[in-house]
mmCIF file of all heavy atoms in Angstrom:
data_model
loop_
_atom_site.group_PDB
_atom_site.id
_atom_site.type_symbol
_atom_site.label_atom_id
_atom_site.label_comp_id
_atom_site.label_asym_id
_atom_site.label_seq_id
_atom_site.Cartn_x
_atom_site.Cartn_y
_atom_site.Cartn_z
ATOM 1 N N ARG A 90 17.620 2.339 -23.618
ATOM 2 C CA ARG A 90 16.900 2.511 -24.873
ATOM 3 C C ARG A 90 15.454 2.976 -24.648
ATOM 4 O O ARG A 90 15.054 3.933 -25.255
ATOM 5 C CB ARG A 90 16.865 1.107 -25.605
ATOM 6 C CG ARG A 90 16.045 1.177 -26.833
ATOM 7 C CD ARG A 90 16.264 0.004 -27.783
ATOM 8 N NE ARG A 90 15.514 0.221 -29.005
ATOM 9 C CZ ARG A 90 15.441 -0.642 -29.962
ATOM 10 N NH1 ARG A 90 16.080 -1.812 -29.886
ATOM 11 N NH2 ARG A 90 14.712 -0.407 -31.089
ATOM 12 N N TRP A 91 14.738 2.307 -23.747
ATOM 13 C CA TRP A 91 13.349 2.614 -23.509
ATOM 14 C C TRP A 91 13.143 3.201 -22.118
ATOM 15 O O TRP A 91 13.723 2.746 -21.140
ATOM 16 C CB TRP A 91 12.442 1.407 -23.637
ATOM 17 C CG TRP A 91 12.551 0.734 -24.973
ATOM 18 C CD1 TRP A 91 13.144 -0.498 -25.198
ATOM 19 C CD2 TRP A 91 11.951 1.145 -26.217
ATOM 20 N NE1 TRP A 91 13.031 -0.798 -26.554
ATOM 21 C CE2 TRP A 91 12.297 0.169 -27.184
ATOM 22 C CE3 TRP A 91 11.245 2.259 -26.573
ATOM 23 C CZ2 TRP A 91 11.897 0.290 -28.536
ATOM 24 C CZ3 TRP A 91 10.830 2.375 -27.888
ATOM 25 C CH2 TRP A 91 11.163 1.388 -28.865
ATOM 26 N N LEU A 92 12.258 4.212 -21.998
ATOM 27 C CA LEU A 92 11.957 4.793 -20.700
ATOM 28 C C LEU A 92 10.436 4.965 -20.562
ATOM 29 O O LEU A 92 9.740 5.512 -21.467
ATOM 30 C CB LEU A 92 12.584 6.216 -20.617
ATOM 31 C CG LEU A 92 12.353 6.980 -19.340
ATOM 32 C CD1 LEU A 92 12.965 6.285 -18.146
ATOM 33 C CD2 LEU A 92 12.933 8.373 -19.403
ATOM 34 N N VAL A 93 9.923 4.438 -19.457
ATOM 35 C CA VAL A 93 8.513 4.643 -19.098
ATOM 36 C C VAL A 93 8.524 5.480 -17.833
ATOM 37 O O VAL A 93 9.303 5.279 -16.953
ATOM 38 C CB VAL A 93 7.777 3.332 -18.861
ATOM 39 C CG1 VAL A 93 6.520 3.534 -18.017
ATOM 40 C CG2 VAL A 93 7.459 2.657 -20.143
ATOM 41 N N ASP A 98 2.404 9.429 -20.942
ATOM 42 C CA ASP A 98 1.378 8.447 -21.395
ATOM 43 C C ASP A 98 2.030 7.239 -21.980
ATOM 44 O O ASP A 98 1.577 6.086 -21.776
ATOM 45 C CB ASP A 98 0.461 9.093 -22.466
ATOM 46 C CG ASP A 98 -0.332 10.262 -21.969
ATOM 47 O OD1 ASP A 98 -0.155 10.553 -20.754
ATOM 48 O OD2 ASP A 98 -1.110 10.782 -22.738
ATOM 49 N N HIS A 99 3.095 7.404 -22.799
ATOM 50 C CA HIS A 99 3.668 6.331 -23.561
ATOM 51 C C HIS A 99 5.145 6.171 -23.251
ATOM 52 O O HIS A 99 5.822 7.107 -22.774
ATOM 53 C CB HIS A 99 3.466 6.551 -25.066
ATOM 54 C CG HIS A 99 2.066 6.840 -25.441
ATOM 55 N ND1 HIS A 99 1.116 5.907 -25.425
ATOM 56 C CD2 HIS A 99 1.462 8.004 -25.852
ATOM 57 C CE1 HIS A 99 -0.058 6.413 -25.799
ATOM 58 N NE2 HIS A 99 0.132 7.691 -26.023
ATOM 59 N N ALA A 100 5.683 4.958 -23.607
ATOM 60 C CA ALA A 100 7.179 4.801 -23.487
ATOM 61 C C ALA A 100 7.862 5.689 -24.481
ATOM 62 O O ALA A 100 7.333 6.004 -25.538
ATOM 63 C CB ALA A 100 7.463 3.331 -23.729
ATOM 64 N N ILE A 101 9.068 6.083 -24.099
ATOM 65 C CA ILE A 101 9.875 6.944 -25.000
ATOM 66 C C ILE A 101 11.127 6.150 -25.413
ATOM 67 O O ILE A 101 11.734 5.439 -24.598
ATOM 68 C CB ILE A 101 10.342 8.183 -24.206
ATOM 69 C CG1 ILE A 101 9.112 9.026 -23.767
ATOM 70 C CG2 ILE A 101 11.332 9.031 -24.982
ATOM 71 C CD1 ILE A 101 9.425 10.029 -22.737
ATOM 72 N N GLU A 102 11.504 6.275 -26.690
ATOM 73 C CA GLU A 102 12.760 5.664 -27.121
ATOM 74 C C GLU A 102 13.844 6.728 -26.874
ATOM 75 O O GLU A 102 13.927 7.705 -27.568
ATOM 76 C CB GLU A 102 12.711 5.204 -28.555
ATOM 77 C CG GLU A 102 13.959 4.455 -28.935
ATOM 78 C CD GLU A 102 13.821 3.618 -30.184
ATOM 79 O OE1 GLU A 102 13.008 3.946 -31.025
ATOM 80 O OE2 GLU A 102 14.576 2.570 -30.262
ATOM 81 N N LEU A 109 19.158 -1.169 -22.189
ATOM 82 C CA LEU A 109 18.343 -1.278 -20.967
ATOM 83 C C LEU A 109 16.995 -0.575 -21.180
ATOM 84 O O LEU A 109 16.861 0.313 -21.982
ATOM 85 C CB LEU A 109 19.092 -0.542 -19.802
ATOM 86 C CG LEU A 109 20.495 -1.092 -19.488
ATOM 87 C CD1 LEU A 109 21.179 -0.186 -18.504
ATOM 88 C CD2 LEU A 109 20.399 -2.518 -18.968
ATOM 89 N N ALA A 110 16.039 -1.047 -20.396
ATOM 90 C CA ALA A 110 14.701 -0.399 -20.363
ATOM 91 C C ALA A 110 14.438 -0.016 -18.906
ATOM 92 O O ALA A 110 14.574 -0.853 -18.029
ATOM 93 C CB ALA A 110 13.628 -1.386 -20.905
ATOM 94 N N VAL A 111 14.040 1.230 -18.699
ATOM 95 C CA VAL A 111 13.890 1.728 -17.356
ATOM 96 C C VAL A 111 12.475 2.294 -17.162
ATOM 97 O O VAL A 111 11.979 3.019 -18.041
ATOM 98 C CB VAL A 111 14.885 2.894 -17.048
ATOM 99 C CG1 VAL A 111 14.674 3.510 -15.684
ATOM 100 C CG2 VAL A 111 16.340 2.378 -17.103
ATOM 101 N N ALA A 112 11.815 1.855 -16.097
ATOM 102 C CA ALA A 112 10.493 2.349 -15.753
ATOM 103 C C ALA A 112 10.613 3.139 -14.467
ATOM 104 O O ALA A 112 11.214 2.640 -13.501
ATOM 105 C CB ALA A 112 9.484 1.215 -15.599
ATOM 106 N N TYR A 135 14.957 -3.260 -16.814
ATOM 107 C CA TYR A 135 14.761 -4.561 -17.607
ATOM 108 C C TYR A 135 15.769 -4.527 -18.757
ATOM 109 O O TYR A 135 16.196 -3.446 -19.179
ATOM 110 C CB TYR A 135 13.352 -4.602 -18.167
ATOM 111 C CG TYR A 135 12.279 -4.810 -17.092
ATOM 112 C CD1 TYR A 135 11.704 -3.740 -16.471
ATOM 113 C CD2 TYR A 135 11.820 -6.064 -16.838
ATOM 114 C CE1 TYR A 135 10.718 -3.867 -15.476
ATOM 115 C CE2 TYR A 135 10.805 -6.296 -15.860
ATOM 116 C CZ TYR A 135 10.310 -5.210 -15.206
ATOM 117 O OH TYR A 135 9.323 -5.390 -14.280
ATOM 118 N N PRO A 136 16.031 -5.733 -19.330
ATOM 119 C CA PRO A 136 16.782 -5.704 -20.581
ATOM 120 C C PRO A 136 15.903 -5.124 -21.680
ATOM 121 O O PRO A 136 14.691 -5.380 -21.750
ATOM 122 C CB PRO A 136 17.040 -7.199 -20.866
ATOM 123 C CG PRO A 136 16.314 -7.950 -19.811
ATOM 124 C CD PRO A 136 15.637 -7.050 -18.851
ATOM 125 N N ALA A 137 16.437 -4.255 -22.534
ATOM 126 C CA ALA A 137 15.706 -3.679 -23.658
ATOM 127 C C ALA A 137 15.426 -4.731 -24.701
ATOM 128 O O ALA A 137 16.291 -5.476 -25.081
ATOM 129 C CB ALA A 137 16.408 -2.484 -24.231
ATOM 130 N N GLU A 138 14.196 -4.754 -25.213
ATOM 131 C CA GLU A 138 13.839 -5.571 -26.356
ATOM 132 C C GLU A 138 13.590 -4.664 -27.563
ATOM 133 O O GLU A 138 13.758 -3.472 -27.438
ATOM 134 C CB GLU A 138 12.605 -6.438 -26.072
ATOM 135 C CG GLU A 138 12.644 -7.223 -24.731
ATOM 136 C CD GLU A 138 13.664 -8.280 -24.656
ATOM 137 O OE1 GLU A 138 14.244 -8.668 -25.740
ATOM 138 O OE2 GLU A 138 14.041 -8.761 -23.535
ATOM 139 N N ASP A 139 13.152 -5.240 -28.655
ATOM 140 C CA ASP A 139 13.016 -4.405 -29.882
ATOM 141 C C ASP A 139 11.859 -3.420 -29.808
ATOM 142 O O ASP A 139 11.878 -2.397 -30.514
ATOM 143 C CB ASP A 139 12.790 -5.316 -31.100
ATOM 144 C CG ASP A 139 14.093 -5.981 -31.475
ATOM 145 O OD1 ASP A 139 15.202 -5.507 -30.999
ATOM 146 O OD2 ASP A 139 14.064 -7.021 -32.212
ATOM 147 N N THR A 140 10.862 -3.668 -29.003
ATOM 148 C CA THR A 140 9.806 -2.762 -28.843
ATOM 149 C C THR A 140 9.596 -2.406 -27.338
ATOM 150 O O THR A 140 10.027 -3.158 -26.481
ATOM 151 C CB THR A 140 8.423 -3.378 -29.330
ATOM 152 O OG1 THR A 140 8.142 -4.473 -28.513
ATOM 153 C CG2 THR A 140 8.548 -3.810 -30.801
ATOM 154 N N ALA A 141 8.935 -1.266 -27.118
ATOM 155 C CA ALA A 141 8.642 -0.919 -25.722
ATOM 156 C C ALA A 141 7.732 -1.936 -25.088
ATOM 157 O O ALA A 141 7.944 -2.301 -23.916
ATOM 158 C CB ALA A 141 8.010 0.473 -25.718
ATOM 159 N N GLU A 142 6.734 -2.439 -25.832
ATOM 160 C CA GLU A 142 5.769 -3.406 -25.275
ATOM 161 C C GLU A 142 6.581 -4.639 -24.805
ATOM 162 O O GLU A 142 6.382 -5.124 -23.688
ATOM 163 C CB GLU A 142 4.776 -3.840 -26.354
ATOM 164 C CG GLU A 142 3.717 -2.829 -26.665
ATOM 165 C CD GLU A 142 4.300 -1.625 -27.440
ATOM 166 O OE1 GLU A 142 5.368 -1.784 -28.155
ATOM 167 O OE2 GLU A 142 3.719 -0.507 -27.374
ATOM 168 N N ALA A 143 7.443 -5.158 -25.636
ATOM 169 C CA ALA A 143 8.176 -6.367 -25.241
ATOM 170 C C ALA A 143 9.153 -6.091 -24.098
ATOM 171 O O ALA A 143 9.468 -6.967 -23.292
ATOM 172 C CB ALA A 143 8.979 -6.919 -26.445
ATOM 173 N N SER A 144 9.549 -4.830 -23.936
ATOM 174 C CA SER A 144 10.522 -4.502 -22.876
ATOM 175 C C SER A 144 9.818 -4.351 -21.514
ATOM 176 O O SER A 144 10.475 -4.628 -20.486
ATOM 177 C CB SER A 144 11.193 -3.136 -23.192
ATOM 178 O OG SER A 144 11.842 -3.238 -24.450
ATOM 179 N N PHE A 145 8.540 -3.921 -21.492
ATOM 180 C CA PHE A 145 7.885 -3.616 -20.233
ATOM 181 C C PHE A 145 6.715 -4.542 -19.916
ATOM 182 O O PHE A 145 6.392 -4.764 -18.742
ATOM 183 C CB PHE A 145 7.403 -2.193 -20.228
ATOM 184 C CG PHE A 145 8.545 -1.185 -20.275
ATOM 185 C CD1 PHE A 145 8.701 -0.400 -21.375
ATOM 186 C CD2 PHE A 145 9.422 -1.105 -19.197
ATOM 187 C CE1 PHE A 145 9.779 0.518 -21.428
ATOM 188 C CE2 PHE A 145 10.486 -0.191 -19.239
ATOM 189 C CZ PHE A 145 10.674 0.668 -20.346
ATOM 190 N N LEU A 146 6.019 -5.080 -20.943
ATOM 191 C CA LEU A 146 4.845 -5.931 -20.644
ATOM 192 C C LEU A 146 5.315 -7.370 -20.520
ATOM 193 O O LEU A 146 5.273 -8.142 -21.473
ATOM 194 C CB LEU A 146 3.766 -5.751 -21.759
ATOM 195 C CG LEU A 146 3.336 -4.349 -22.034
ATOM 196 C CD1 LEU A 146 2.189 -4.239 -23.043
ATOM 197 C CD2 LEU A 146 3.026 -3.557 -20.734
ATOM 198 N N ARG A 147 5.783 -7.690 -19.324
ATOM 199 C CA ARG A 147 6.440 -8.990 -19.080
ATOM 200 C C ARG A 147 6.338 -9.283 -17.591
ATOM 201 O O ARG A 147 5.939 -8.420 -16.800
ATOM 202 C CB ARG A 147 7.902 -8.901 -19.563
ATOM 203 C CG ARG A 147 8.695 -7.846 -18.835
ATOM 204 C CD ARG A 147 9.942 -7.367 -19.574
ATOM 205 N NE ARG A 147 10.842 -8.409 -19.911
ATOM 206 C CZ ARG A 147 11.998 -8.218 -20.599
ATOM 207 N NH1 ARG A 147 12.280 -6.987 -21.003
ATOM 208 N NH2 ARG A 147 12.764 -9.209 -20.907
ATOM 209 N N PRO A 148 6.717 -10.494 -17.193
ATOM 210 C CA PRO A 148 6.661 -10.770 -15.724
ATOM 211 C C PRO A 148 7.628 -9.875 -14.940
ATOM 212 O O PRO A 148 8.749 -9.635 -15.360
ATOM 213 C CB PRO A 148 7.070 -12.256 -15.635
ATOM 214 C CG PRO A 148 6.895 -12.775 -17.007
ATOM 215 C CD PRO A 148 7.116 -11.633 -17.959
ATOM 216 N N LEU A 149 7.190 -9.373 -13.797
ATOM 217 C CA LEU A 149 8.030 -8.505 -13.005
ATOM 218 C C LEU A 149 9.311 -9.210 -12.568
ATOM 219 O O LEU A 149 10.318 -8.570 -12.357
ATOM 220 C CB LEU A 149 7.303 -8.075 -11.696
ATOM 221 C CG LEU A 149 6.107 -7.148 -11.874
ATOM 222 C CD1 LEU A 149 5.395 -6.939 -10.536
ATOM 223 C CD2 LEU A 149 6.515 -5.846 -12.498
ATOM 224 N N GLN A 151 11.337 -10.618 -14.328
ATOM 225 C CA GLN A 151 12.399 -10.441 -15.328
ATOM 226 C C GLN A 151 13.194 -9.119 -15.125
ATOM 227 O O GLN A 151 14.089 -8.810 -15.881
ATOM 228 C CB GLN A 151 11.837 -10.502 -16.742
ATOM 229 C CG GLN A 151 11.358 -11.910 -17.070
ATOM 230 C CD GLN A 151 10.720 -12.033 -18.447
ATOM 231 O OE1 GLN A 151 10.632 -11.099 -19.190
ATOM 232 N NE2 GLN A 151 10.265 -13.276 -18.759
ATOM 233 N N LEU A 275 4.215 -1.462 -12.551
ATOM 234 C CA LEU A 275 5.530 -1.494 -13.273
ATOM 235 C C LEU A 275 6.548 -0.690 -12.555
ATOM 236 O O LEU A 275 7.740 -1.121 -12.454
ATOM 237 C CB LEU A 275 5.289 -1.007 -14.702
ATOM 238 C CG LEU A 275 6.533 -0.919 -15.634
ATOM 239 C CD1 LEU A 275 7.194 -2.244 -15.760
ATOM 240 C CD2 LEU A 275 6.165 -0.358 -16.978
ATOM 241 N N GLN A 303 2.262 -10.434 -14.072
ATOM 242 C CA GLN A 303 2.638 -10.153 -15.467
ATOM 243 C C GLN A 303 2.120 -8.677 -15.741
ATOM 244 O O GLN A 303 0.940 -8.441 -15.497
ATOM 245 C CB GLN A 303 1.972 -11.148 -16.405
ATOM 246 C CG GLN A 303 1.790 -10.774 -17.840
ATOM 247 C CD GLN A 303 3.063 -11.041 -18.658
ATOM 248 O OE1 GLN A 303 3.740 -12.041 -18.418
ATOM 249 N NE2 GLN A 303 3.340 -10.184 -19.620
ATOM 250 N N VAL A 304 2.980 -7.826 -16.234
ATOM 251 C CA VAL A 304 2.473 -6.463 -16.524
ATOM 252 C C VAL A 304 1.730 -6.492 -17.855
ATOM 253 O O VAL A 304 2.172 -6.990 -18.869
ATOM 254 C CB VAL A 304 3.723 -5.496 -16.693
ATOM 255 C CG1 VAL A 304 3.198 -4.081 -16.950
ATOM 256 C CG2 VAL A 304 4.588 -5.523 -15.436
ATOM 257 N N GLN A 305 0.450 -6.009 -17.769
ATOM 258 C CA GLN A 305 -0.396 -5.980 -18.991
ATOM 259 C C GLN A 305 -0.474 -4.601 -19.608
ATOM 260 O O GLN A 305 -0.750 -4.447 -20.764
ATOM 261 C CB GLN A 305 -1.852 -6.396 -18.646
ATOM 262 C CG GLN A 305 -1.970 -7.575 -17.713
ATOM 263 C CD GLN A 305 -1.924 -8.895 -18.497
ATOM 264 O OE1 GLN A 305 -1.796 -8.905 -19.706
ATOM 265 N NE2 GLN A 305 -2.016 -10.022 -17.810
ATOM 266 N N ALA A 306 -0.294 -3.572 -18.820
ATOM 267 C CA ALA A 306 -0.359 -2.178 -19.322
ATOM 268 C C ALA A 306 0.595 -1.309 -18.486
ATOM 269 O O ALA A 306 0.842 -1.589 -17.319
ATOM 270 C CB ALA A 306 -1.799 -1.647 -19.137
ATOM 271 N N LEU A 307 1.152 -0.291 -19.154
ATOM 272 C CA LEU A 307 2.231 0.474 -18.536
ATOM 273 C C LEU A 307 1.827 1.088 -17.220
ATOM 274 O O LEU A 307 2.585 1.174 -16.321
ATOM 275 C CB LEU A 307 2.711 1.582 -19.498
ATOM 276 C CG LEU A 307 3.317 1.147 -20.851
ATOM 277 C CD1 LEU A 307 3.733 2.380 -21.647
ATOM 278 C CD2 LEU A 307 4.482 0.193 -20.613
ATOM 279 N N HIS A 308 0.586 1.581 -17.136
ATOM 280 C CA HIS A 308 0.207 2.321 -15.911
ATOM 281 C C HIS A 308 -0.778 1.523 -15.066
ATOM 282 O O HIS A 308 -1.516 2.097 -14.193
ATOM 283 C CB HIS A 308 -0.396 3.674 -16.301
ATOM 284 C CG HIS A 308 0.589 4.546 -17.097
ATOM 285 N ND1 HIS A 308 1.693 5.144 -16.440
ATOM 286 C CD2 HIS A 308 0.667 4.856 -18.401
ATOM 287 C CE1 HIS A 308 2.373 5.813 -17.386
ATOM 288 N NE2 HIS A 308 1.777 5.687 -18.563
ATOM 289 N N GLN A 309 -0.819 0.240 -15.266
ATOM 290 C CA GLN A 309 -1.689 -0.684 -14.502
ATOM 291 C C GLN A 309 -1.442 -0.546 -12.970
ATOM 292 O O GLN A 309 -0.314 -0.396 -12.553
ATOM 293 C CB GLN A 309 -1.333 -2.086 -14.994
ATOM 294 C CG GLN A 309 -2.010 -3.203 -14.311
ATOM 295 C CD GLN A 309 -1.438 -4.533 -14.939
ATOM 296 O OE1 GLN A 309 -0.781 -4.540 -15.913
ATOM 297 N NE2 GLN A 309 -1.708 -5.643 -14.226
#
Side-chain angles (χ1 to χ4, degrees):
R90 177 164 183 184
W91 302 106
L92 179 65
V93 160
D98 295 1
H99 307 290
I101 297 165
E102 186 162 27
L109 302 172
V111 175
Y135 290 87
E138 310 294 345
D139 287 343
T140 63
E142 287 70 26
S144 303
F145 295 113
L146 306 186
R147 61 202 304 177
L149 292 175
Q151 291 178 1
L275 178 59
Q303 160 85 35
V304 183
Q305 315 276 1
L307 298 181
H308 300 288
Q309 175 183 346

